[in-house]
Amino acid sequence: MKILVPVKRVVDYNVKVRVKSDGTGVDIANVKMSMNPFDEIAVEEAVRLKEKGIATEVIAVSCGVTQCQETLRTAMAIGADRGILVETPADLDLQPLAVAKLLKALVDKEQPGLIILGKQAIDDDCNQTGQMLAALADLPQATFASKVEVVDGKAQVTREIDGGLEVLSLSMPAVITTDLRLNEPRYVTLPNIMKAKKKQLDNFKPEDLGVDVSPRITTLKVSEPPKRSAGIKVPDVATLVDKLKNTAKVI
Amino acid sequence: MASLVIAEHDNASIKGATLNTVTAAVACGGDVHVLVAGHNAGAAAQAAAQIAGVSKVIHADAEGLAHGLAENVATQVLAIAGNYTHILFPATAAGKNVAPRVAAKLDVAQLSDVTLVISADTFERPIYAGNAIATVQSKDAVKVLTVRTTGFDAAAATGGSANIETAAATADSGKSTFKGSEIAKNDRPELTAAKVIVSGGRALGSAEKFAEVITPLADKLGAAMGASRAAVDAGYAPNDWQVGQTGKIVAPQLYVACGISGAIQHLAGMKDSKVIVAINKDPEAPIFSVADYGLEADLFAAVPELVNAL
């Protein structure tokens, strides 16, 4: 069985982003970019399934600008066997529905047994692509996975839900999206980075896959969130209690 | 023009998040209908009919809908979607699971975690862990949204008198089955609905200390307990207590952060709280930049002292 793992190049999670003064977006010029943290977990899980002998091949996919190749090389350094880049113009606002359609075309082509995605990207915070792919490909889904097992040809997935956990059994092929506690991604080593450079990386355009990637949602404005007014430091517990009771009146 | 709200419920009662979603639906304009899809969910449908502002409840009952499986719920929503301009889900684990599936089948974009309805096609939503607010416009014929519950007041749970209409239940997809669940026992208010939240971080050091220090304060304040990701990952607290970008988004009247440094991912989950109190011994901790009242002290001394003082 093949596993397809979509990965996204995003602003590194440690970067505190700034809104552009003209309100057109977030300033990402000269900002450190990395693989979306949830996608690292997805790659790690796929590679572990391969190490257990359940998967035969792990294919990493990224959609976006040319530089997404770096993200794919990182996935290959973790252990993905090959990469596919669906290259789109730098000025295109690529949205989850379009990505899901591109991935659907690749699922038709590669026929993976599992598709493992991150639950959300930390830039647009959408949490949509996996579910949309599952819908378009008419596959079952298990989102927010914290444990994945393949038993008797079915994917048994523990999901994080509000209030606790639930376990689902899915017929395969299936779509799984990862939550933070699924695993701890390994560090990439220098020899593996070197090896990753030699792995196969195919390049497609959306037209090659017959997909219309034009955005459906227009961003009219991006602004700073309202600032909280500066608070005060209190010297001791008694003052804190007094402030909460008499000034803020919350207790 | 009418809106459809997909109720979150446990077959017996309606969950609070549904009430906030109804308020968002009212803001979109037009009639508001609520879909209660479940198994033996008559009581939930009755409760939905009482919500102020709801003009019709659609009740679909089948075994396949018992556990809210995304495949089956999405099919059920799609069966009636043709009548609506807006389809709204609460941005809970359940809503986020199903909404994109519905949107993709309708070939429309989905808007996640909407915090403000500006007009029928224009909305605000946070991006980059809440560090920026995007105003977005959808030109699609149907708007599929998930609603950030802390962005909208709850609709009154009583006072409405909607008709309940039964819809034919759609067939089970057969592609996924529910095997079981482990729901954490909790006598406290639900985290996302609590008026007061006491949250602990990595500084607590162990699950025992977490319980020993945080629980009495939460008891005293009648508060829900929360945790930072660091505390959850270290096993000090269950994962459904996590507050932050990847956990729950909360906006209580009072949020007490004990031993939490205040990484942006955590702040994204609680910075809309009315009053934030931080107790931390590190004067440089970023949590102090959003706290209304900061106490620079060792939490192992300060929290018990606070419990005594209350």
Side-chain angles (χ1 to χ4, degrees), chain A residues 10-11 13-19 25-26 28 37-38 41 95-97 100-101 119-144 146 154 156 158-173 179-181 183-184 216-226 228-241 243-245 247-251, chain B residues 8 15 67 69-71 91-94 96-98 100-105 107-113 122 124-140 174-185 190 196 221 229 232-233 239-240 242 245-248 253-254 256 264-265 270-277 279 282-284 288-296 301-303 305-307 309-310:
Chain A
V10 298
V11 170
Y13 72 96
N14 284 313
V15 172
K16 176 128 177 43
V17 296
R18 285 207 332 267
V19 172
V26 164
I28 58 166
F38 292 100
I41 296 170
Q95 295 175 352
L97 183 62
K101 288 179 179 180
K119 78 165 176 183
Q120 77 188 55
I122 60 165
D123 51 1
D124 62 20
D125 285 335
C126 274
N127 193 333
Q128 300 173 5
T129 308
Q131 294 91 314
M132 287 184 155
L133 169 62
L136 297 173
D138 209 16
L139 298 176
Q141 70 182 49
T143 48
F144 323 139
S146 60
K154 299 224 171 200
Q156 185 151 319
T158 305
R159 303 179 57 226
E160 295 193 7
I161 56 171
D162 294 335
L165 301 170
E166 74 172 21
V167 182
L168 300 182
S169 172
L170 312 179
S171 64
M172 302 212 309
D179 216 321
L180 281 170
R181 271 160 291 274
N183 62 46
E184 197 143 310
R216 298 298 192 79
I217 292 172
T218 316
T219 300
L220 303 177
K221 186 178 78 179
V222 175
S223 53
E224 293 268 358
R228 285 189 78 91
S229 51
I232 56 165
K233 281 210 179 169
V234 291
D236 53 35
V237 169
T239 319
L240 176 62
V241 172
K243 291 282 184 197
L244 291 178
K245 276 195 174 138
T247 314
K249 295 187 175 25
V250 282
I251 53 173
Chain B
E8 185 168 354
K15 299 230 170 138
H67 302 290
L69 293 174
E71 298 78 13
T92 54
K96 290 173 179 177
N97 192 32
V98 181
R101 216 172 154 108
V102 170
K105 288 279 193 192
D107 193 28
V108 301
Q110 191 235 297
L111 296 146
S112 296
D113 273 309
T122 308
E124 265 186 22
R125 58 175 303 263
I127 53 175
Y128 288 91
N131 284 306
I133 307 293
T135 305
V136 292
Q137 187 174 37
S138 162
K139 289 292 185 197
D140 284 320
K175 288 185 173 168
S176 67
T177 38
F178 174 81
K179 289 287 193 187
S181 63
E182 255 177 68
I183 302 299
K185 287 267 176 294
E190 200 190 336
V196 181
L221 293 168
R229 186 189 160 196
V232 170
D233 281 354
N239 60 33
D240 54 302
Q242 187 187 322
Q245 184 190 18
T246 59
K248 303 260 169 64
Q253 294 287 307
L254 172 62
V256 186
I264 53 174
Q265 291 83 1
M270 46 65 85
K271 67 184 170 56
D272 294 327
S273 305
K274 186 160 171 275
V275 174
I276 297 173
V277 170
I279 302 175
D282 174 10
E284 304 296 322
F288 286 124
S289 68
V290 299
D292 299 280
Y293 302 107
L295 177 62
E296 193 186 315
V303 175
E305 201 184 326
L306 181 56
V307 173
L310 288 168

Side-chain angles (χ1 to χ4, degrees), chain A residues 54-69:
Chain A
I54 292 165
T56 50
E57 189 184 30
V58 176
I59 309 160
V61 184
S62 193
C63 304
V65 295
T66 320
Q67 293 89 324
C68 294
Q69 283 183 8

Side-chain angles (χ1 to χ4, degrees), chain B residues 170-263:
Chain B
T170 50
D172 191 332
S173 79
K175 288 185 173 168
S176 67
T177 38
F178 174 81
K179 289 287 193 187
S181 63
E182 255 177 68
I183 302 299
K185 287 267 176 294
N186 205 342
D187 303 329
R188 296 181 181 283
E190 200 190 336
L191 192 54
T192 50
K195 293 251 185 301
V196 181
I197 295 173
V198 180
S199 237
R202 199 202 317 255
L204 270 309
S206 71
E208 293 71 37
K209 283 284 176 198
F210 195 101
E212 191 185 311
V213 176
I214 301 296
T215 313
L217 181 58
D219 285 344
K220 204 84 184 191
L221 293 168
M225 295 210 279
S228 69
R229 186 189 160 196
V232 170
D233 281 354
Y236 305 165
N239 60 33
D240 54 302
W241 288 12
Q242 187 187 322
V243 171
Q245 184 190 18
T246 59
K248 303 260 169 64
I249 312 286
V250 299
Q253 294 287 307
L254 172 62
Y255 187 92
V256 186
C258 309
I260 292 177
S261 64

